Amino acid sequence: MMNKKRLMAILAAGVLTATSFNPAMIKAESVSAEEAGMAVPADAAGVAVSADEAGAAVSADEAGVVVAGDGSETAVFSGDGTPVKKTVKAADINMKVQDSYDFPFLGLKAVLPEELKKQIENSDMLMITEEEWNDDMTGFKYAFFHWNKLTEEQKNEDVNLLGTGYEDWLKSIERVGTLGVYSKDVIDDLDSITGCNEHKELGTSEDGNYKYYLSINKDAESDLTDEIEKIETTITEMTAFDPNKSVFDMPAENANPDAENVGAFETTDIDGNAYTEKVFSDYDLTLVNCFTTWCSPCVNEMPDLDKLYQEMKEKGVGVVGMVIDSVGEDGTTDEDIVKKAQILKEKTGVTYPLLIPDAGNMNGRISGLSSFPESFFVDKDGNIVGDPIMGSRSLEDWKAAVEDALENIKAGE
């Protein structure tokens, strides 16, 4: 599971990171806004977007409840990082079977034996991940896969994700083996960390800070542990740690967070109107607001962003919204998400353009975003100026940020 300290920090900041929640771990039925104790409509500004209408975001209450998901599978978390009224079938937590697994952040590749893959497909064996981050969230202490035997009864159990329910349930099933990466300072605790009692060292990371182990529970059935020991592993160079992602995620392709210019691009808005990089040439400064249709903080600030646009466009300030989830992992436009964005546009009343990401993701700038929402400023020549802004802001805070950016442009900074 994700380090709860990291999740709490994310929620406290009012920011949803792109990888805040592990869909392989949390895959449960939707919880309505009423069940979660959330307020709909959002506020007097009229951000009245129901989950039914938008399939997406609803507002958070004063306790800081956050909704994440795509509308069909919604994960609801309270301010302390614990799920609110959530259960999931044990078999649904199982990871997808693949011919091979490649985890660049861990410097690890793995190929599972055929029999083990069959056991996972049948949910006779449960394969899930666990990771623990450092207290300062600048690295990880350990990360591993674990395989667990499930009885027929356990396959259909409703796992309670509330409080310690998930951890308690994990302790109730039989651990068979693990494959993982561990920092040197936790090696003495492998038994307690992995739930296994026999560990085979596979190698050491290039920098010497981590060791790789294949571990088994000697008390488990030998025909099960034998399959774990047949796993083929390859240790590779670790990709630089990204504090905005799970260590089991893939690094964002073509990501260029340090891009200095958005480059040339062609795209459309959610209504099919054509746009290029010339969208920035009409204003001295444009705020680019990257958001998703399921992100409550993103949706809730849209009316304020439109007020900002209306009040400051005569001063040479524009606003552009980027609907990040309108393009799937395969690069194709998700028409269902576009329809949700159209509903959001109508409900929030925004008049600034809501664009679909172009094939090059604005010169890589909007690939691998650190948070939702995330915003940055672009001048009339397409240059990215100033520092990115993580999370949502009030109208007054946005005005102050824009004024600062304008002053910096005038000063030639």
Side-chain angles (χ1 to χ4, degrees):
M1 292 182 67
M2 177 179 293
N3 185 332
K4 185 173 288 187
K5 289 183 179 179
R6 179 186 179 219
L7 183 55
M8 288 173 65
I10 290 166
L11 293 171
V15 177
L16 300 179
T17 71
T19 54
S20 297
F21 312 108
N22 183 352
M25 183 190 78
I26 300 171
K27 185 181 180 183
E29 73 279 4
S30 296
V31 172
S32 70
E34 288 75 19
E35 289 176 315
M38 302 178 71
V40 180
D43 58 23
V47 193
V49 184
S50 72
D52 291 334
E53 290 175 312
V58 289
S59 74
D61 63 11
E62 292 181 356
V65 176
V66 175
V67 175
D70 64 1
S72 61
E73 294 177 351
T74 303
V76 183
F77 291 81
S78 65
D80 67 354
T82 57
V84 177
K85 195 178 180 181
K86 298 300 297 179
T87 61
V88 60
K89 293 292 184 184
D92 288 338
I93 304 176
N94 227 344
M95 288 186 68
K96 181 181 178 181
V97 173
Q98 300 175 190
D99 290 335
S100 63
Y101 298 85
D102 184 7
F103 299 98
F105 291 125
L106 298 178
L108 179 65
K109 295 181 179 180
V111 177
L112 308 186
E114 290 301 317
E115 182 58 32
L116 179 55
K117 289 196 288 187
K118 291 178 182 177
Q119 292 169 349
I120 296 170
E121 287 176 340
N122 296 331
S123 292
D124 295 323
M125 195 80 86
L126 180 71
M127 175 181 174
I128 44 184
T129 64
E130 182 167 337
E131 61 186 296
E132 179 70 17
W133 290 44
N134 295 337
D135 290 340
D136 60 4
M137 295 182 286
T138 59
F140 67 97
K141 294 179 181 178
Y142 58 79
F144 60 89
F145 297 100
H146 50 102
W147 290 270
N148 310 268
K149 178 184 176 182
L150 291 182
T151 65
E152 289 300 319
E153 181 180 359
Q154 288 171 334
K155 292 179 188 179
N156 297 308
E157 281 184 351
D158 288 321
V159 180
N160 177 20
L161 300 181
L162 185 63
T164 61
Y166 178 76
E167 289 86 351
D168 293 340
W169 173 76
L170 278 181
K171 295 175 183 177
S172 73
I173 60 178
E174 183 180 12
R175 181 66 51 88
V176 177
T178 68
L179 171 63
V181 188
Y182 309 86
S183 62
K184 292 189 298 183
D185 58 351
V186 303
I187 297 301
D188 292 340
D189 300 321
L190 284 183
D191 282 10
S192 60
I193 291 173
T194 65
C196 296
N197 46 28
E198 185 173 285
H199 313 282
K200 177 184 178 182
E201 183 176 338
L202 303 176
T204 305
S205 63
E206 191 174 71
D207 61 10
N209 293 327
Y210 293 90
K211 287 188 176 293
Y212 297 77
Y213 284 90
L214 183 68
S215 306
I216 62 169
N217 175 11
K218 292 186 294 184
D219 300 322
E221 297 175 26
S222 60
D223 58 338
L224 297 178
T225 58
D226 287 348
E227 292 303 313
I228 301 297
E229 292 182 300
K230 292 178 184 177
I231 296 173
E232 299 176 7
T233 60
T234 303
I235 297 174
T236 63
E237 182 179 357
M238 281 182 168
T239 296
F241 181 75
D242 184 344
N244 302 302
K245 289 183 174 291
S246 162
V247 293
F248 293 99
D249 285 341
M250 292 295 291
E253 293 185 7
N254 303 318
N256 187 16
D258 298 322
E260 296 181 355
N261 190 286
V262 297
F265 63 84
E266 295 181 359
T267 189
T268 67
D269 66 7
I270 59 174
D271 297 315
N273 301 306
Y275 281 85
T276 70
E277 69 279 2
K278 295 187 184 300
V279 68
F280 301 114
S281 63
D282 293 334
Y283 300 97
D284 296 326
L285 183 74
T286 299
L287 171 66
V288 180
N289 177 249
C290 302
F291 73 98
T292 67
T293 59
W294 50 258
C295 165
S296 294
C298 304
V299 174
N300 291 344
E301 73 170 349
M302 289 174 71
D304 277 346
L305 290 176
D306 196 70
K307 290 178 183 177
L308 177 75
Y309 174 54
Q310 295 300 332
E311 293 181 21
M312 302 200 72
K313 61 184 178 181
E314 297 302 323
K315 295 183 178 181
V317 177
V319 177
V320 167
M322 298 298 302
V323 192
I324 300 301
D325 58 333
S326 63
V327 175
E329 292 183 1
D330 60 357
T332 60
T333 300
D334 188 327
E335 296 300 335
D336 289 337
I337 297 298
V338 171
K339 290 178 182 178
K340 293 176 183 178
Q342 290 170 341
I343 293 172
L344 290 176
K345 179 181 177 181
E346 178 184 354
K347 293 293 182 179
T348 59
V350 300
T351 56
Y352 56 83
L354 301 180
L355 305 187
I356 295 171
D358 69 290
N361 285 318
M362 284 191 169
N363 200 23
R365 176 59 185 85
I366 60 174
S367 296
L369 292 165
S370 299
S371 66
F372 295 125
E374 180 172 325
S375 304
F376 55 91
F377 292 110
V378 178
D379 70 14
K380 63 171 52 181
D381 297 317
N383 298 312
I384 298 171
V385 295
D387 296 324
I389 297 175
M390 311 298 182
S392 58
R393 296 287 187 274
S394 67
L395 176 59
E396 293 306 314
D397 286 342
W398 277 124
K399 287 181 180 179
V402 167
E403 294 290 357
D404 286 344
L406 284 173
E407 287 183 13
N408 289 338
I409 288 178
K410 292 177 181 178
E413 297 182 10

